[in-house]
Amino acid sequence: MGQKVGNVTIRVRSGEKAPPLYLIEPELINSIPPRRPGLSELLSHHFSIPPFPERRRRRINEVPGPSPNPVQNFAMEDTGGKEMASAEASGFSDLSDSEFLDLEDTQESSPSLGKPGSSEFPKSDKCINLPKGKRDLDVPSPLERFNLKYLYVTDLSTQNWCEQQMVYGKEIPDFLTPEKEAVLNTGASIHLARELEVHDLVTVSVVTKEDAWAVKFLNILSMIPTLQSEGCIREFPVFGEVEGVLLVGVIDELHYTDKGELELAELKTRRRPMTPLKAQKRKDCFQVSLYKYIFDAMVQGKVTPASLIHHTKLCPEKPLGPSVLRHAQQGGFSVKSFGDLMELVFLSLTLSDLPVIDILKIEYIHQETAAVLDTEVVTFEEKEVKSKMQHYMAYWMGQREPQGVDVEDAWKCRTCSYADICEWRKCGGQCSSTLEPQAKRTR
DNA sequence: ATTGCTCAATGG
């Protein structure tokens, strides 16, 4: 059950000596160029580059599945796994509570991140009278119901597309048509190829959650200097508290422009050579806006180790696993515990003279031809983004029921796996069965 | 789906 042993990927700058072990789906192997040329060249080869035998690996946790993986197998340290499991099961352990006493710092230093009243994390069952949002305390919030300690950025952008669909996706595993799956795989493959243009990937076996996060931290530590020396970095991890909920994500690409502005570039690949619809753009704009919001908070010191620990229930004292430790030392970081590394990341983020993100750019390209279909430069509207986030988080905190799409967006249901069972649709879209008749839309 | 019950994203 709880054994989370697995592998995660670490980003290694090109030119390192560590023999790169690429984590690639077998079917993606052909898409990996031998000398990492640009995307267009890659695509022109129609994914027919000879495979690299040593790269034959799947991307992530290889464990489950009928056929035993030839490559991996992390020695499964049961102790680690079970410790975690029990810690998680208890939800809010007294132990972790005691470590959050200095959370005031977080709050004080983060006026814009997390709203004022957000110190009211569900403190065990002590929050008998939660005034806000008239939430029924007998009913667990969606966050609790799904056992989520944090959300992904893409959870929120999916929520922007259709909240009801996102909810169904959490409840029921999505059923994808082969066509849809192929589109997603191609998209993932293109993104992977682009990532490999700027760095190699190496596997690191992890035993604990702390290890997995440590790898994320190592990636941040190695990417910041690259970025600051005018390099382009891809797949930069971000995390931070937003409206009382921890949001976790990965920025596609960051680089400085000729003018010295820090630009976020998000690539969206499309099956058909059409410009994206408004709804698609709206969702993608929201996604990159969230990235900026979180990244800015990180470099401004508003994302503290304490807040991360608070949400994730990670244990700073936990020693790093051998594999992770090896890579840390290889990177020149003299750290022993997970907490050490976390502090180092905090310092690196805040003391590297990283600016906030100046430009948000989204590029839509055709999967088959790599033709640019559209380029969107997003204006970051903080107020708007924030109010959207509040709206979405209100659902997660159990302060309101989920909503489906508005009538004019009903076309989205055409490709939705849950259309047949969708309660929102059954109610004719606007009426929400259990809610007061507030058919007014908020968007 | 690939795999989750947390190592996010892939697209419509």
Side-chain angles (χ1 to χ4, degrees):
Chain A
M1 359 201 307
Q3 49 234 354
K4 289 277 64 210
V5 186
N7 276 354
V8 290
T9 57
I10 190 169
R11 275 79 185 162
V12 175
R13 278 242 265 159
S14 308
E16 301 276 358
K17 55 252 170 171
L21 301 173
Y22 296 92
L23 309 172
I24 299 171
E25 308 280 357
E27 58 273 17
L28 297 188
I29 289 177
N30 288 340
S31 71
I32 303 309
R35 292 265 333 158
R36 60 177 77 92
L39 175 62
S40 51
E41 185 183 339
L42 163 65
L43 291 171
S44 71
H45 281 76
H46 297 298
F47 303 103
S48 61
I49 284 96
F52 285 0
E54 70 275 20
R55 293 180 178 179
R56 188 171 304 122
R57 284 219 178 164
R58 295 177 68 83
R59 266 194 314 187
I60 306 185
N61 310 338
E62 188 59 39
V63 192
S67 60
N69 178 13
V71 190
Q72 248 33 270
N73 261 332
F74 350 92
M76 191 156 299
E77 294 189 358
D78 273 338
T79 45
K82 292 196 173 158
E83 255 175 62
M84 275 170 30
S86 60
E88 278 168 25
S90 68
F92 303 90
S93 64
D94 303 356
L95 208 88
S96 34
D97 268 346
S98 63
E99 312 188 49
F100 308 150
L101 292 180
D102 52 354
L103 256 183
E104 269 79 352
D105 288 348
T106 315
Q107 204 171 310
E108 189 190 8
S109 66
S110 63
S112 71
L113 191 70
K115 65 171 168 198
S118 68
S119 59
E120 19 137 285
F121 297 113
K123 287 263 174 88
S124 324
D125 33 16
K126 291 183 181 176
C127 54
I128 315 160
N129 47 1
L130 187 60
K132 305 233 187 280
K134 59 190 167 197
R135 160 154 126 70
D136 184 352
L137 290 177
D138 297 336
V139 184
S141 73
L143 223 43
E144 296 162 338
R145 202 152 48 86
F146 294 123
N147 281 319
L148 301 175
K149 295 198 200 61
Y150 53 84
L151 296 173
Y152 295 145
V153 167
T154 46
D155 285 335
L156 262 69
S157 61
T158 301
Q159 196 173 359
N160 179 285
W161 179 264
C162 174
E163 187 168 75
Q164 186 64 68
Q165 182 188 28
M166 187 278 301
V167 173
Y168 282 129
K170 291 285 177 191
E171 290 171 343
I172 313 161
D174 198 358
F175 171 75
L176 293 184
T177 64
E179 293 76 24
K180 196 169 181 183
E181 185 190 339
V183 175
L184 291 181
N185 281 338
T186 303
S189 165
I190 292 172
H191 275 268
L192 178 60
R194 283 173 53 94
E195 179 180 0
L196 292 174
E197 289 173 9
V198 299
H199 56 227
D200 293 336
L201 294 179
V202 174
T203 47
V204 179
S205 56
V206 295
V207 182
T208 62
K209 272 192 313 184
E210 283 77 9
D211 278 351
W213 277 85
V215 171
K216 191 201 296 279
F217 291 157
L218 289 177
N219 285 330
I220 292 177
L221 289 176
S222 77
M223 285 192 217
I224 289 177
T226 307
L227 174 65
Q228 293 301 68
S229 55
E230 306 299 310
C232 166
I233 58 176
R234 297 206 166 120
E235 307 297 311
F236 184 85
V238 291
F239 49 88
E241 183 190 309
V242 162
E243 302 299 319
V245 179
L246 183 66
L247 261 189
V248 177
V250 174
I251 293 177
D252 209 11
E253 175 178 328
L254 284 172
H255 62 254
Y256 287 100
T257 64
D258 294 336
K259 295 179 184 171
E261 301 158 312
L262 182 56
E263 178 173 274
L264 177 154
E266 170 77 27
L267 182 76
K268 295 292 182 196
T269 71
R270 296 173 68 75
R271 178 72 187 88
R272 307 244 174 246
M274 318 271 287
T275 60
L277 296 173
K278 226 182 201 145
Q280 185 73 58
K281 284 191 178 184
R282 202 190 310 139
K283 166 184 179 272
D284 298 335
C285 290
F286 183 55
Q287 182 184 352
V288 295
S289 295
L290 287 175
Y291 288 142
K292 169 173 164 58
Y293 194 88
I294 300 171
F295 180 89
D296 290 0
M298 288 172 80
V299 303
Q300 289 167 348
K302 295 173 182 172
V303 180
T304 60
S307 122
L308 184 66
I309 294 294
H310 170 81
H311 287 283
T312 58
K313 304 288 181 286
L314 294 164
C315 177
E317 286 77 29
K318 194 158 283 187
L320 298 170
S323 182
V324 176
L325 198 56
R326 194 170 59 248
H327 281 283
Q329 288 164 350
Q330 202 165 359
F333 311 117
S334 55
V335 291
K336 289 275 179 287
S337 67
F338 171 72
D340 293 344
L341 193 54
M342 193 169 47
E343 295 294 339
L344 204 52
V345 167
F346 182 77
L347 292 177
S348 180
L349 283 168
T350 53
L351 300 177
S352 298
D353 284 320
L354 287 162
V356 296
I357 294 174
D358 296 303
I359 305 173
L360 298 171
K361 198 179 73 182
I362 307 173
E363 196 165 73
Y364 298 90
I365 68 166
H366 185 210
Q367 287 191 342
E368 202 177 326
T369 65
V372 177
L373 305 173
D374 202 359
T375 299
E376 185 82 17
V377 176
V378 181
T379 314
F380 182 73
E381 312 261 18
E382 173 152 11
K383 286 235 170 94
E384 201 176 302
V385 170
K386 208 164 171 181
S387 97
K388 272 186 186 173
M389 291 189 304
Q390 281 166 356
H391 176 69
Y392 295 137
M393 290 308 183
Y395 160 75
W396 287 107
M397 304 296 272
Q399 293 161 359
R400 64 171 180 82
E401 294 295 312
Q403 306 170 343
V405 294
D406 301 329
V407 203
E408 63 264 33
D409 281 340
W411 54 268
K412 290 177 180 174
C413 306
R414 195 169 47 79
T415 56
C416 176
S417 320
Y418 311 105
D420 293 341
I421 61 162
C422 183
E423 288 300 323
W424 183 263
R425 271 169 66 85
K426 283 179 189 164
C427 292
Q430 300 210 347
C431 90
S432 39
S433 49
T434 57
L435 280 186
E436 55 266 71
Q438 42 108 230
K440 288 301 151 221
R441 353 179 266 255
T442 24
R443 273 203 296 267

